[in-house]
Amino acid sequence: MRLRFLGGAGEVGRSAVLVNDDLLLDFGMKTGNPPDFPAGGARGVDPEAVVVSHGHLDHAGAVPALLSGDARPAIHWTPPTRELALTLARDTLKLHGGTYRCPFTGNDLKRLTEVSTPHGYGEPFEAAGHEITLYDAGHIPGSAHVLVDDGDTRLLYTGDFHVDERRGDGTASAGADGRESSPGGQRLVPGSTARPDADVVVCESTYADVEHEARAEVEERFVESVRTTLWEGGSVVVPAFAIGRTQEMLLICEAYDIPCYVDGMGKQVTEMLRQYPGFVRDPEALRRAISHARFVTGRDGQRERIVDSGTVVVTTSGMLSGGPAMTYIPAIRSNPVNKITLTGYQVEGTPGRELLDTGSAEIDGRVMPVSARVESYDFSAHADREGLLGFLGAYRDATVLVNHGDRCAAFAAELDADGFDAAAPSLGETVVL
C-alpha cells in the first residue's frame, strides 16, 4: 500500500491522503488569508474515488474542486457528512466565489450532488478497488473512521475523533440542581468505541500534548459564569463553530435551563441534524434544545434588541472571523458586565486568538478594545492525550503514522520510545507499506 500525504502532515488543516494513487481520503482546506489547499491542488490528483471522514472545512472544504474539468470521482461519506459538506461549500461559494479563497465553481458544486453516495456505519462498500467500512468516530454527527482494505493491507484512517471519559458505570451524574450533568463526553454525539483490526493506523494528534479538563467540570464552570453575568444584568455572547459546537452549547443551555438565542449558520445546521436522529447521542435531548432556544431572524433590528436584553447568544463564527458575531461583539464590548465566552480552540492569527492574547481584536475591519470579560472553555471534540493513547493501545502491533497536529514528530517519537512502530510523515511524503 502506498500513502501520499498531501495535507495534514505536521499541521492542522487541509487533510488529504492519497491511497494507492487512486483512492483519496479527505480533501480539506486550511483557513487563513490566503487559505491553504492540499499540495498540488485539485489538478495534482486524479482519484477514482474519494472518501470524506466528516463535514468540517479542514477535511471536506475543497472536495468540490475535484470535480472541475472532466474529472468525476465518486464521493463517499455518511448522510450527515454529505449535508454538512454541501452546506459549507455553498457558504464558501457565497462568500468567496470567484476569488482565490474559493477553489471551485457553482458547476463543480452541482456535480458534487451527482456523484455522491452516502453510507451508514459498519456497511462495507467498494471504492477504487478497495473495500471501505466507516465507523463512528464520535467527533461530530456523521464523522467516521475510515477502514481501507486493498487485499493485502488494512489501513485505519481516524479522521478526527473523540472518546468519552472513563466512568465506572458509564452513566451520567446529576448536577447540584438535580439536572443531568455531562454524560462524560459531548452531549451531541457519543465518543467512539470502534477499534477495527488494522495493520496501519493514520492517527490524528490535535491534542497529543493536552489533557482535557473533565467535561462535567467545564460545563459547571461555564454555567456558573453565565448565570452570574445574567444575574448582574449583562449579556453573554458565545461564539461557536456552526457544526457540532453550536448544537453542544444549545444542549448545555437546555440542560441547565439557561435562556438563549442561536444565530448564524448554526441555525441551519441544527435544523438539518434533526433529520438524522441515528447520528446523535440523544435525539429527544436535541429536540428539547431546539425548542428551548430562540432562533434569530435578524429582521427589524432584532440583533440590536437582543444584546440589550440580558441574555445568551450562541453565534458564529467560533473564531470571530465573520458571521453575526460581527454585530454582537461591537455591541457588548464596552460594558465590563457583559461577557464573551469562547468555546473552541482559537487558531493563531484569528481575531478570537488576538482577543484572548491582547484584549482587543480586529472586528469587521476595525481594531476594537474590549472591556467585556473574555473567557475560554475547552469543549473540544477531539481526543486528548489520554484518549489518543487509550485508542492506540489497541494497535500496538500496527504501524502508526501520526498526522493532523502541531507536534506530530514529537508524539510519534514518544510512541516509538514506548514500543510502537510510529512515524510522522512530512508534507508531500509517500509512505510505502
Side-chain angles (χ1 to χ4, degrees):
M1 181 177 283
R2 290 166 50 87
L3 304 180
R4 185 180 172 202
F5 288 79
L6 305 174
E11 63 183 358
V12 175
R14 58 170 175 176
S15 289
V17 178
L18 187 63
V19 181
N20 292 332
D21 299 323
D22 53 12
L23 176 68
L24 186 60
L25 305 179
D26 286 343
F27 202 68
M29 59 187 293
K30 188 175 184 180
T31 56
N33 192 12
D36 289 323
F37 303 101
R43 295 183 181 181
V45 290
D46 185 22
E48 180 182 334
V50 184
V51 181
V52 181
S53 67
H54 65 282
H56 275 152
L57 274 175
D58 58 337
H59 290 258
V63 168
L66 296 167
L67 299 166
S68 62
D70 297 328
R72 294 295 183 276
I75 311 295
H76 301 273
W77 37 25
T78 64
T81 295
R82 176 187 182 276
E83 295 298 327
L84 294 170
L86 288 171
T87 297
L88 288 177
R90 294 185 186 109
D91 187 63
T92 300
L93 191 64
K94 176 183 175 181
L95 295 175
H96 306 298
T99 74
Y100 65 90
R101 304 192 70 169
C102 181
F104 52 86
T105 67
N107 284 335
D108 300 335
L109 188 53
K110 180 177 181 297
R111 294 178 189 128
L112 183 59
T113 64
E114 299 168 355
V115 298
S116 166
T117 303
H119 304 274
Y121 295 134
E123 302 172 358
F125 60 92
E126 188 276 336
H130 301 75
E131 182 179 89
I132 311 295
T133 310
L134 305 179
Y135 295 89
D136 189 351
H139 179 58
I140 61 173
S143 61
H145 299 306
V146 183
L147 184 66
V148 180
D149 189 341
D150 68 357
D152 295 316
T153 304
R154 289 167 61 89
L155 164 70
L156 181 64
Y157 173 74
T158 68
D160 293 346
F161 71 98
H162 190 271
V163 293
D164 286 347
E165 299 164 12
R166 296 189 181 94
R167 303 173 65 94
D169 58 3
T171 61
S173 59
D177 57 3
R179 289 184 167 267
E180 182 181 287
S181 68
S182 165
Q186 298 188 89
R187 290 179 178 271
L188 182 61
V189 291
S192 177
T193 58
R195 305 291 188 273
D197 290 340
D199 306 302
V200 183
V201 179
V202 175
C203 186
E204 71 120 317
S205 59
T206 314
Y207 286 94
D209 58 345
V210 171
E211 292 186 7
H212 295 320
E213 182 182 358
R215 181 59 65 106
E217 295 176 7
V218 177
E219 282 193 11
E220 289 167 8
R221 286 196 301 106
F222 171 80
V223 169
E224 181 180 1
S225 176
V226 168
R227 284 175 171 168
T228 298
T229 299
L230 296 181
W231 181 81
E232 292 173 346
S235 293
V236 183
V237 175
V238 184
F241 308 129
I243 298 174
R245 196 59 44 80
T246 289
Q247 296 76 42
E248 186 76 8
M249 302 317 297
L250 296 186
L251 284 161
I252 292 171
C253 286
E254 191 282 329
Y256 290 92
D257 198 25
I258 295 173
C260 68
Y261 288 85
V262 59
D263 203 351
M265 188 193 296
K267 296 184 299 179
Q268 179 183 351
V269 171
T270 302
E271 290 287 6
M272 182 274 290
L273 289 177
R274 297 183 69 174
Q275 303 171 35
Y276 300 102
F279 290 88
V280 299
R281 186 192 287 270
D282 186 341
E284 176 58 24
L286 182 60
R287 185 200 64 77
R288 293 196 306 268
I290 292 172
S291 298
H292 176 79
R294 287 169 282 185
F295 282 57
V296 177
T297 65
R299 294 191 296 266
D300 302 324
Q302 184 188 21
R303 291 188 176 104
E304 287 74 14
R305 292 196 302 275
I306 288 172
V307 295
D308 292 329
S309 63
T311 189
V312 176
V313 185
V314 181
T315 183
T316 50
S317 75
M319 298 184 193
L320 305 183
S321 55
M326 298 301 97
T327 297
Y328 295 115
I329 299 300
I332 73 159
R333 68 181 179 90
S334 60
N335 187 345
V337 175
N338 294 330
K339 189 169 289 177
I340 302 166
T341 59
L342 300 169
T343 60
Y345 181 72
Q346 305 297 307
V347 173
E348 190 170 348
T350 62
R353 180 64 171 270
E354 183 183 358
L355 179 60
L356 274 178
D357 291 345
T358 70
S360 63
E362 183 175 329
I363 304 294
D364 228 7
R366 293 185 297 150
V367 176
M368 299 180 178
V370 174
S371 298
R373 287 169 287 180
V374 179
E375 297 177 348
S376 180
Y377 295 88
D378 181 6
F379 286 105
S380 175
H382 290 267
D384 65 359
R385 179 181 179 82
E386 181 182 359
L388 289 168
L389 292 174
F391 173 84
L392 289 173
Y395 298 102
R396 280 195 166 273
D397 295 330
T399 297
V400 177
L401 301 175
V402 179
N403 78 332
H404 198 286
D406 295 328
R407 56 184 300 273
C408 295
F411 187 51
E414 291 180 40
L415 292 174
D416 193 68
D418 191 33
F420 286 87
D421 176 14
S426 57
L427 184 63
E429 181 178 350
T430 297
V431 177
V432 180
L433 302 159

